[in-house]
Amino acid sequence: MSRPDSSPASDIELVRQALEGSDTAYSDLLGRFQRPVFSLIRRMVLDPALAEDLAQEAFLKAFRALGSFDQSRKFSSWLFKIAHNTTIDYLRKKQLDTVALETADSEQPDLVAVIPDSRAESPEASAHSRDMAQALEQALMSLRPAYREVIVLRFQEGLAYEEIAEITGLPLGTVKTHLHRARNGMARHLSDHGWVPKGG
């Protein structure tokens, strides 16, 4: 049944409808979060096909456990935590090799300082921005999974440090350290591949 004001249902409303037996509500939740969950997992495992399988597993776990979800909390954080745990369990079982990131040096350039100004409208500037986006993705992929995850949760999903800590099970200070090292690691990777920080 459509809402009188035609505004989209909130996450919690969809959860309640799903628990009442609405298949449409389940479909709406899947449609709303399928892409962000897949994106998070893909950045952790670096394999789109595997990410699809793990995302499907995470959604199955979430929907089966929907009755245990505390509706006073944020649904997206609860779902991301399930996705995180599903992926970490897989990585631990497979003992996949990861790219270790050296301890960050406070003198390393900040990631933001490496990103060029994309406001110019020329074709050359547009091509440069596309190249920059590809370089950023490659820099992200060079990080260890734990660092990639916090970067995606913070800068792609826009989550607060506290939410990231809840999802990953890490202390708040560790989340901030991971983000600092991840940003420096990406900046170092970009610099090594010819992307010079502003003013550098």
Side-chain angles (χ1 to χ4, degrees), residues 40-52:
L40 173 66
I41 296 175
R42 182 176 69 82
R43 260 56 179 273
M44 294 175 70
V45 301
L46 305 182
D47 182 336
L50 173 59
E52 286 185 7

Side-chain angles (χ1 to χ4, degrees), residues 14-130:
L14 288 177
V15 168
R16 290 171 180 167
Q17 292 170 17
L19 291 173
E20 291 171 358
S22 171
D23 291 337
T24 300
Y26 279 109
S27 296
D28 288 347
L29 284 170
L30 179 62
R32 187 171 292 183
F33 291 103
Q34 187 171 30
R35 184 171 181 177
V37 167
F38 168 78
S39 178
L40 173 66
I41 296 175
R42 182 176 69 82
R43 260 56 179 273
M44 294 175 70
V45 301
L46 305 182
D47 182 336
L50 173 59
E52 286 185 7
D53 290 343
L54 291 174
Q56 183 178 27
E57 181 180 345
F59 274 107
L60 285 173
K61 288 179 179 178
F63 288 162
R64 287 171 181 164
L66 199 58
S68 66
F69 168 63
D70 181 354
Q71 295 183 24
S72 67
R73 301 175 65 189
K74 191 174 179 180
F75 177 75
S76 59
S77 295
W78 181 77
L79 180 59
F80 279 132
K81 185 173 182 65
I82 291 174
H84 163 84
N85 290 340
T86 299
T87 307
I88 292 299
D89 286 346
Y90 174 85
L91 291 174
R92 285 172 176 164
K93 287 177 183 176
K94 295 299 181 180
Q95 296 181 335
L96 297 181
D97 293 332
T98 59
V99 179
L101 181 64
E102 296 177 359
T103 300
D105 190 317
S106 59
E107 296 181 358
Q108 289 294 337
D110 192 297
L111 174 61
V112 174
V114 185
I115 300 176
D117 189 344
S118 61
R119 289 174 292 180
E121 298 179 355
S122 69
E124 292 81 3
S126 296
H128 184 74
S129 295
R130 288 194 297 271

Side-chain angles (χ1 to χ4, degrees), residues 132-183:
M132 181 75 251
Q134 184 177 13
L136 281 169
E137 182 73 11
Q138 291 172 349
L140 179 63
M141 294 302 101
S142 74
L143 303 178
R144 56 191 290 186
Y147 292 176
R148 291 196 298 266
E149 182 181 24
V150 294
I151 284 285
V152 171
L153 290 173
R154 177 63 175 167
F155 296 106
Q156 181 171 309
E157 298 304 325
L159 300 186
Y161 297 128
E162 292 79 7
E163 291 177 288
I164 298 173
E166 179 184 352
I167 290 166
T168 60
L170 297 172
L172 185 59
T174 302
V175 168
K176 293 179 179 180
T177 298
H178 279 12
L179 280 166
H180 176 75
R181 291 179 177 176
R183 286 164 63 97

